[in-house]
Amino acid sequence: MTKTAEKIQNFIDGQFVDPVGGKYLDNIEPATGKPYSQVADSDTREVDLAVAAAEKAFAGWSQTSAADRSRILLRIADLIERDLEKLARAESIDTGKPLSLARTLDIPRAASNFRFFATAILHTESEAHITDNVAFNYTLRQPRGIAGLISPWNLPLYLLSWKIAPAIAVGNTAIAKPSELTAMTAFLLCGLCREAGLPNGVLNVVHGTGPNVGAPITAHPKIGTISFTGGTVTGRKVAEACAPLFKKVSLELGGKNPNIIFADADLDAAIAGSVRSSFANQGQVCLCGSRIFVERSAYADFVNRFLDQASKLKGGDPLDDKTEQGAIVGKTQLDKVKFYVDLAQKEGGKIALGGKAPEPINDRCREGYFFKPTVITGLPVSCRTNREEIFGPVVTITPFDNEEEVIGYANDTEYGLASSVWTQNLTRAHRVAEKIHTGTVWVNCWLVRDLRVPFGGMKQSGVGREGGEEALRFFTEPKNICIAK
Ligand code: TXE
């Protein structure tokens, strides 16, 4: 551990503070497998301090005008854009993702999250209902109080800002807990929020592990709203903790997303889109299309061309601008990927591409967590490899003979987050999209995001929706006021 390693401190009541117990966790750089900084190893004592700060700030912040809240959030967005390169580099080092991806996706999307909700609160509609000649009803949507925001390691600043922005835009105060694996950009965001003039205590960030910090947040009686993104297993624990306290909970969980290619699709577009939806962020995006289904008459052509394009993805040091495939976020996740590649072969699958770590890229990355883009064919549709979330650069490709069959395959999973359908027959596109059980269906595209639309999953992919109007409604409490005539 280098003595000068940066310490990722908690941000409570507008101050950067060490954890009460003085403990820190090593923060490992995925590309090297070595610690490069330290993350505060906090516990319920810091959560209590953060609750006190958030409670103190709530009265002032919830009474602040929407115009003033908007101005501060827009300033945060401007500062994120000002520091784009610094934030992108921090994100790349912390997660192992290519610097180019952090620079073009993660950080710009974080700025647009703040900008979107900063302006959305200026244009919200209020509902009123005239009850004949009896009464006049109007609905107030008021901030709920302290929100607990828990986020994962795959798109750290993007997904955390997706929670912080709406929560505080509508007048709540917040306690955020980023993943202990990728806490650096949340730490940097705190400085930008202070520079933007966000009042002390409106946003508090407490770093540490799930059990020591996440669980106390979900169990704290004064934190009435919980927004969680992460794995389904943990999502279940969060829901169990919140239920007895009747908390309002939003869960954005895992996925095992189908990517369906019909023979009449524009294959050039479908192949390019499928390579991206398979391996973006090393396949560590809950929306990745990890189960590819191709109509049999186009199957051989698709597989050959897909393998050719996927094999050309440039793996390398995440900090190299030319790199398209970086490192897996950590050893635990890399071992999980290796486990499923071994399992796939035991289940009868054939490794058509990848299936192992690449040759060492350079001395710096010799002990990093790298794995080649991997394609598996020949698996039965209902095997474990095709039903369980791997969350790495691993996809399966399976042929199908007709629409009804592939819809059955697509829906044969406990998850229901997102899907893609590639066809030039738009009547079929509408028909298939209506029958697929996922919260989002992309037709002839992937990961096209409009922040106004509801976003989230069905079944074990989550509860509730985030995004746009849904997020503003999630973080506010509607009150109906009825005035007799
Ligand atoms: O998620 P976790 P991880 C999937 C993916 C991945 C799996 C686990 O399959 O392998 O989830 O990933 C905090 N109470 N996705 O480890 O464990 C934890 O500290 C409260 C899909 O990132 O769910 C972190 O901040 N909080 C997902 C956050 O929860 C707890 C993206 C997520 O951790 C907690 C990432 C507890 N008991 C992973 N235990 C998506 N849908 O985008 C942990 N945490």
Side-chain angles (χ1 to χ4, degrees):
M1 167 56 66
T2 53
K3 284 286 162 270
T4 56
E6 184 161 11
K7 285 193 172 187
I8 296 175
Q9 295 176 299
N10 294 322
F11 183 67
I12 298 175
D13 203 15
Q15 304 304 315
F16 289 104
V17 290
D18 288 320
V20 172
K23 290 193 300 171
Y24 277 85
L25 301 163
D26 278 349
N27 189 27
I28 309 292
E29 180 179 1
T32 65
K34 296 185 175 61
Y36 84 100
S37 56
Q38 292 187 303
V39 186
D41 186 9
S42 312
D43 58 37
T44 189
R45 291 172 292 182
E46 281 77 19
V47 172
D48 290 341
L49 291 171
V51 167
E55 198 171 27
K56 186 174 65 173
F58 180 71
W61 183 246
S62 59
Q63 297 306 313
T64 302
S65 70
D68 284 344
R69 295 200 298 264
S70 175
R71 184 177 45 75
I72 292 172
L73 266 69
L74 286 172
R75 180 74 181 123
I76 293 171
D78 291 343
L79 294 175
I80 289 172
E81 286 169 345
R82 180 199 69 187
D83 291 0
L84 185 141
E85 194 57 30
K86 175 183 176 185
L87 289 165
R89 186 174 176 81
E91 198 75 295
S92 174
I93 292 169
D94 218 20
T95 61
K97 75 177 67 201
L99 176 56
S100 58
L101 183 66
R103 185 186 290 137
T104 55
L105 178 82
D106 295 68
I107 307 308
R109 290 279 178 99
S112 58
N113 286 342
F114 276 98
R115 188 154 285 129
F116 176 84
F117 288 106
T119 50
I121 56 171
L122 303 177
H123 309 293
T124 49
E125 292 178 357
S126 304
E127 299 110 299
H129 299 81
I130 313 297
T131 311
D132 300 327
N133 283 325
V134 174
F136 167 77
N137 290 272
Y138 66 99
T139 303
L140 275 186
R141 291 194 173 276
Q142 298 174 306
R144 287 178 48 83
I146 304 172
L149 313 175
I150 302 172
S151 54
W153 47 256
N154 60 327
L155 304 164
L157 193 60
Y158 179 9
L159 293 180
L160 186 59
S161 58
W162 181 235
K163 298 172 185 296
I164 293 175
I168 65 175
V170 296
N172 297 298
T173 53
I175 298 172
K177 186 230 162 298
S179 172
E180 58 277 25
L181 302 179
T182 56
M184 186 58 80
T185 44
F187 172 60
L188 296 173
L189 174 70
C190 295
L192 300 183
C193 289
R194 190 162 65 174
E195 184 180 352
L198 191 68
N200 294 346
V202 172
L203 172 65
N204 304 278
V205 178
V206 180
H207 296 284
T209 65
N212 291 348
V213 175
I217 287 174
T218 57
H220 199 293
K222 289 188 174 177
I223 302 175
T225 310
I226 296 288
S227 173
F228 172 83
T229 296
T232 295
V233 171
T234 308
R236 187 172 286 115
K237 292 178 189 170
V238 170
E240 285 165 355
C242 292
L245 295 159
F246 299 100
K247 297 192 179 194
K248 194 171 184 181
V249 185
S250 162
L251 301 172
E252 204 272 279
L253 307 177
K256 190 72 177 182
N257 307 309
N259 174 16
I260 300 169
I261 292 98
F262 286 93
D264 75 326
D266 171 345
L267 274 192
D268 291 340
I271 289 163
S274 299
V275 169
R276 192 167 153 258
S277 67
S278 299
F279 302 114
N281 201 38
Q282 298 72 241
Q284 298 169 133
V285 182
C286 55
L287 300 166
C288 277
S290 51
R291 293 185 293 150
I292 302 174
F293 297 105
V294 183
E295 193 164 14
R296 196 173 298 277
S297 58
Y299 181 77
D301 184 23
F302 177 91
V303 171
N304 289 335
R305 291 168 60 186
F306 180 83
L307 294 179
D308 177 56
Q309 284 207 20
S311 66
K312 289 172 180 160
L313 286 169
K314 185 170 179 354
D317 188 328
L319 295 179
D320 178 338
D321 266 347
K322 296 186 293 301
T323 294
E324 297 170 307
Q325 287 289 298
I328 305 288
V329 74
K331 186 173 182 319
T332 304
Q333 196 60 26
L334 178 62
D335 291 344
K336 180 176 178 182
V337 169
K338 289 176 178 173
F339 166 82
Y340 277 102
V341 170
D342 292 344
L343 175 66
Q345 295 172 83
K346 291 188 182 103
E347 294 187 313
K350 171 177 168 284
I351 306 290
L353 184 73
K356 57 187 178 185
E359 292 306 312
I361 292 148
N362 57 28
D363 277 347
R364 189 181 96 85
C365 298
R366 185 166 298 282
E367 291 167 44
Y369 309 124
F370 293 88
F371 203 82
K372 284 185 168 187
T374 296
V375 180
I376 300 164
T377 56
L379 277 170
V381 170
S382 57
C383 67
R384 283 184 61 190
T385 309
N386 264 331
R387 296 179 62 81
E388 297 174 15
E389 188 184 50
I390 300 171
F391 218 68
V394 181
V395 295
T396 64
I397 308 182
T398 307
F400 69 88
D401 291 304
N402 59 64
E403 194 174 299
E404 188 185 352
E405 181 188 52
V406 73
I407 289 170
Y409 289 168
N411 291 335
D412 179 21
T413 168
E414 287 85 10
Y415 293 105
L417 189 54
S419 53
S420 287
V421 178
W422 299 85
T423 177
Q424 298 189 78
N425 175 338
L426 292 192
T427 306
R428 168 159 54 201
H430 288 290
R431 188 172 59 235
V432 172
E434 283 172 23
K435 292 177 182 171
I436 297 180
H437 303 154
T438 57
T440 297
V441 182
W442 279 293
V443 176
N444 298 330
C445 60
W446 179 70
L447 207 61
V448 174
R449 297 281 288 110
D450 182 321
L451 298 185
R452 291 168 298 179
V453 305
F455 174 81
M458 305 176 181
K459 304 194 279 185
Q460 295 194 18
S461 288
V463 174
R465 290 290 184 274
E466 301 189 345
E469 197 56 40
E470 305 278 339
L472 298 180
R473 286 175 180 266
F474 174 72
F475 284 111
T476 53
E477 189 69 28
K479 176 191 291 175
N480 183 55
I481 297 170
C482 177
I483 312 280
K485 282 202 168 178

